[in-house]
Amino acid sequence: MRQVVVARHPQGAPVETDFALVEARRPRAGAGEVLLATEWISIDPYLRPLLGGRYLVPPPGPGEPVPGSVLGRVVVSDDPRLPAGTRVVADARWAEYVAVPATRVRIVDPAIQPPSLALGALGLAGLTAWAGLRVLATPKPGDTVLVSAAAGAVGSVAGQLARLSGARAIGVVGSARKAAVAMDAFGYAACADHRAPDLAGQLAALAPEGIDVYFDNVGGPVLEAALSRLRRNARVVLCGLIDQYNAAVRPPGPNLGPVIAARATLTGLVVHDHLDRWAQMQRELLPRVADGSLRCLEHVVEGLDAAPRAFCAMLQGENVGKTVVRLPEAA
Amino acid sequence: MRQVVVARHPQGAPVETDFALVEARRPRAGAGEVLLATEWISIDPYLRPLLGGRYLVPPPGPGEPVPGSVLGRVVVSDDPRLPAGTRVVADARWAEYVAVPATRVRIVDPAIQPPSLALGALGLAGLTAWAGLRVLATPKPGDTVLVSAAAGAVGSVAGQLARLSGARAIGVVGSARKAAVAMDAFGYAACADHRAPDLAGQLAALAPEGIDVYFDNVGGPVLEAALSRLRRNARVVLCGLIDQYNAAVRPPGPNLGPVIAARATLTGLVVHDHLDRWAQMQRELLPRVADGSLRCLEHVVEGLDAAPRAFCAMLQGENVGKTVVRLPEAA
C-alpha cells in the first residue's frame, strides 16, 4: 500500500517535497486492533505545529508516516461492535490502510451525509467550534461574535453557532472571495479582511460597540486587532495560531493591555478536553445540518498523493471550508 | 498651598522635571464636598500609564495637578458623617489640600495603624491583591502561585494571601535584596530574579511541576516566562504592565501559545470593579495585620516635594513595599 511520510521537517511554509509518497507493507491488525481501508483523510492546520515540534505530541521523524485523522471502513476486525464494512473515524496517518485500536475508533452515524462531514463540521473541527461557543464562551442574543479564519473548517461552524445563539457574527478573512462565502454561505453579517489596511479600524467600523466574544484561530496581528476592540467582560477563545505556524522563530505576541482594560477572560481551548461531549455535539448539530440551518463547505481534494499539496495550499489560505482528501475507496 | 502639577508628559522613564511644585489657591469645599488636609499620598505605578494616556481616564495636561489617592483629615465639612478631624481616603491629587465629594471618601478605620496602611495593604493595593486571589483566581492548598513584583505593594500582599490559602508562593523580583525581603518578610518560599539570565529556566527549577496561579504585575518578558511554565488549567490574573509603562511604543506582547496548551484562563483585573468588596476585604485582612500573619512594608518618603522623585524611583524599582509620601500633617 502507499502512505505519506515526512521527508524532512518543513522550514517556513511547508512545500510538497517535505513529504514523500512511499510504498509500505499493509499493516496487520494486532491484538485489539482493527484494520481500516482509508476513505477520507482530514487535513488540519494543527499538523503544521505538530511537524514543527510545537504541538501536544512529538513530531514524526523523517521517514515516519504523517499523522492525521482518517475516515475508513473496517476491513479486518474481531470486535463484534465493528464488523467489516463499518465506517469509522480514527486518529491514524496518511495511508491507504491503517491499523488502529478498536477502542479508539468512532463509528460514523450513517445519517451523516456525506460521511466526510464526520471529519469536518460533525467531526473534530465542528467539535472545536462547538466547544468554544457552547462550553467556553457562550454568546448571548445580541452579542457581537468575531471569528477569525471565518470561512475555514472551524470558523465556518463557529460563525454559524454564534448566529444560531442569536448573536451577530462577524468574520475575519483573507480575501474578498472568502468574505463573500462567509456572508453568503455561512451567514456572517459582515467580514473584515486582514490583508487590507487597518484591521482594527475595520473591526471598529463593523462592531462599533465592540466585540463580546472572539473566537481566535490565527493569533498574531489579527488577535492583536481583535483584543484592541474587546468589550468589557469579553470572552476570548484562543484556539489556533495559524499566523505563526510557519515562523521559524515564534513571533512576539500581542499586547495584553486591552485584555486588562476589557476585564476579558482568555481561555485556552484544546479540543481533546471535550471528546466526551462528542455525542452531545452531534445530537445538537446533526439536525442543523439536515435542515440546512448549519451549512458545511468542503474543499475536496482527490487522491492521497494530493494530500501534501492540499495541506500546503490550506496553509496558504487557498481553500474555503474544510479541506478533505478523497481517496478512491470513498463511496 | 502647594500642589504638584504636570510640567510635561514623561518621555520614557519619568524624570523629576516632568513635574513641578507650584503654589496654588487652597480649594474651597463646594456643595456636597469636604475639604481635606492631606496627610499621605499614595504613589502608584498606574500613574505612569495614566500620564501616558494609556489608562482608564484621560491624562492631565501640562499645568494640571497630578492625580492620586490621598489620606487626609477633614477640615471643612457640612456632612454629619464626616466631622472635622475624620481621617479619610480619597481619590484626589498631589496637593496639600483637596476638596472632594463627600460621597467619594472612605473613612479610615481608626484600628488601622499606621493609618497609611489604608493606602497600601489595607487600601487599593491590598484590594488589588485580594481581588486577584480571592475573587478571580482562588489558589487551593498545594497550588504553586507565582507573583511578579513580588516585593511591591500589591505583590507583597498577593504572595501572602497565596500562602495563607495553603499554596506555595514564589516570587519574581529584580534584585537579591528584594528576594531576601520577599522570603524573609513576606514568606515567599523562593524567588526568581528577572535581571538574572534565563528566567524561564529559573522558574522551571523553582516550580518543577509548573505554575497553577500567576499574579502578573509586570507583563513583558516576565509574563512570557511565566506563561511558558503554566500548568494545565492555570489561572493568570493580568493586573499590571510595569514592564511597558515607560515604553514610547508599546512592545510586542507575549506569545499566547502556552496559554492554549495549558488551557489557562486569563482574566483582566481592574480593581475598580471590586470596590464594593472593600469592607469585606478589610474584615478579612485587618486581623491578619493585627496578628502579624499579614506583614506590610512601606517605603516612606518625606514631604510633598519628594513625591516626584519617589514616583520615578519606584518605576526604577528602587523601593521595597508600598511607597507612600508622608506630609507634615501626618500624625
Side-chain angles (χ1 to χ4, degrees), chain A residues 314-327:
Chain A
M314 182 194 61
L315 286 172
Q316 299 294 339
E318 294 175 14
N319 64 300
V320 174
K322 176 74 181 88
T323 300
V324 287
V325 178
R326 178 157 49 195
L327 268 65

Side-chain angles (χ1 to χ4, degrees), chain B residues 51-100:
Chain B
L51 293 176
R54 296 179 184 172
Y55 198 63
L56 308 170
V57 296
E64 293 188 315
V66 177
S69 293
V70 304
L71 189 156
R73 284 191 186 273
V74 173
V75 177
V76 176
S77 164
D78 58 6
D79 188 318
R81 294 164 306 165
L82 297 168
T86 308
R87 200 170 248 151
V88 300
V89 166
D91 280 335
R93 60 198 61 86
W94 294 6
E96 291 174 328
Y97 291 87
V98 298
V100 293

Side-chain angles (χ1 to χ4, degrees), chain B residues 3-66:
Chain B
Q3 67 179 10
V4 177
V5 299
V6 175
R8 53 167 205 172
H9 288 144
Q11 304 297 314
V15 294
E16 278 189 70
T17 50
D18 295 330
F19 302 89
L21 182 67
V22 300
E23 295 288 326
R25 191 203 298 264
R26 181 187 297 192
R28 251 177 282 179
E33 289 188 329
V34 293
L35 180 69
L36 308 181
T38 304
E39 290 186 326
W40 301 81
I41 292 171
S42 181
I43 302 291
D44 296 292
Y46 72 79
L47 177 62
R48 181 64 188 88
L50 191 157
L51 293 176
R54 296 179 184 172
Y55 198 63
L56 308 170
V57 296
E64 293 188 315
V66 177

Side-chain angles (χ1 to χ4, degrees), chain A residues 169-234:
Chain A
I170 61 179
V172 178
V173 294
S175 70
R177 181 173 66 99
K178 284 185 181 173
V181 171
M183 290 188 282
D184 296 346
F186 300 131
Y188 282 92
C191 280
D193 185 340
H194 66 81
R195 297 188 209 270
D198 190 15
L199 179 57
Q202 293 180 60
L203 296 179
L206 296 180
E209 294 180 7
I211 296 161
D212 297 289
V213 173
Y214 174 46
F215 194 113
D216 181 44
N217 290 306
V218 302
V222 175
L223 175 58
E224 178 95 58
L227 292 182
S228 76
R229 297 298 307 157
L230 292 181
R231 216 166 170 181
R232 187 177 293 198
N233 296 319

Side-chain angles (χ1 to χ4, degrees), chain A residues 40 113-121 151 156 186 295-301 319-326:
Chain A
W40 301 81
Q113 288 300 336
S116 54
L117 293 183
L119 291 176
S156 62
F186 300 131
R295 296 178 61 186
C296 313
L297 278 197
E298 295 181 293
H299 179 68
V300 178
V301 178
N319 64 300
V320 174
K322 176 74 181 88
T323 300
V324 287
V325 178
R326 178 157 49 195

